[in-house]
Amino acid sequence: MKTLIMCTAIPASGKSTWARIYAKEHKDVFIISSDEIRFELTGCYTDRSKQPEVWKVFSDRIHEYGEKENATVILDALNDTNEIRKKYVVENPEFDKYVLVTFPGVVDRSIKLNSERVGGKKVPEEVMINLVKKFEEPTEEIKSLFDEVWEIRWKESMYRR
């Protein structure tokens, strides 16, 4: 069975950490991270100068990994609007199962964790605030496009990176 898992949350909410933990505990998992692709193309996690190329590589990799037998593909990106969430389900019919992974109740913690980030991953405070404002909670209509919706509620001990 081919599974597409879409993470959706603001920056510093634990999407990448969760994806890495999931991948360690399951086989045939491929993580597609918009941040890592951005770094591959620009040498910087926060350089937005090549966004069209980033999202082209992101989409191409979904299809590439989706061709593999029994693959689980995790989309590690904000996926912050219902339009984007719907797009990735509709444009990737090669998967047998679709899972939406949410990280509710993380705004205050994410803002704090973002301020402590090192290694070029820190989102500028003003950008972070705008991303929080822009983020749409998944509607019931969008959730119905997925076979399962998982809520990840981090415990303080799990949040250490």
Side-chain angles (χ1 to χ4, degrees), residues 81-146:
T81 68
N82 287 310
E83 181 180 335
I84 289 169
R85 296 173 191 127
K86 181 177 182 177
K87 171 188 178 231
Y88 285 121
V89 171
V90 170
E91 291 182 0
N92 296 285
E94 62 266 39
F95 292 91
D96 304 303
K97 182 177 179 182
Y98 300 86
V99 178
L100 182 65
V101 179
T102 66
F103 298 76
V106 296
V107 173
D108 292 339
R109 185 178 298 168
S110 295
I111 290 171
K112 179 181 183 301
L113 287 174
N114 180 63
S115 71
E116 297 168 356
R117 280 180 157 175
V118 294
K121 288 192 173 187
K122 182 178 179 179
V123 177
E125 185 176 345
E126 183 178 308
V127 173
M128 182 75 169
I129 290 167
N130 287 335
L131 290 171
V132 169
K133 288 179 183 176
K134 179 186 173 222
F135 186 85
E136 296 176 4
E137 291 298 327
T139 63
E140 290 303 316
E141 177 185 350
I142 292 302
K143 289 179 183 180
S144 73
L145 298 174
F146 293 85

Side-chain angles (χ1 to χ4, degrees), residues 14-26 29 31 36 74 76 121 160-161:
K15 296 180 303 294
S16 298
T17 299
W18 179 85
R20 284 190 305 272
I21 291 168
Y22 187 92
K24 283 181 185 177
E25 295 174 351
H26 299 82
V29 176
I31 300 170
E36 294 303 325
I74 298 176
D76 178 11
K121 288 192 173 187
R160 300 289 174 222
R161 297 183 184 187

Side-chain angles (χ1 to χ4, degrees), residues 2 61-71 94-95:
K2 296 178 187 179
R61 287 187 184 167
I62 297 170
H63 295 297
E64 175 189 340
Y65 298 144
E67 292 177 7
K68 299 179 184 298
E69 189 174 338
N70 295 319
E94 62 266 39
F95 292 91

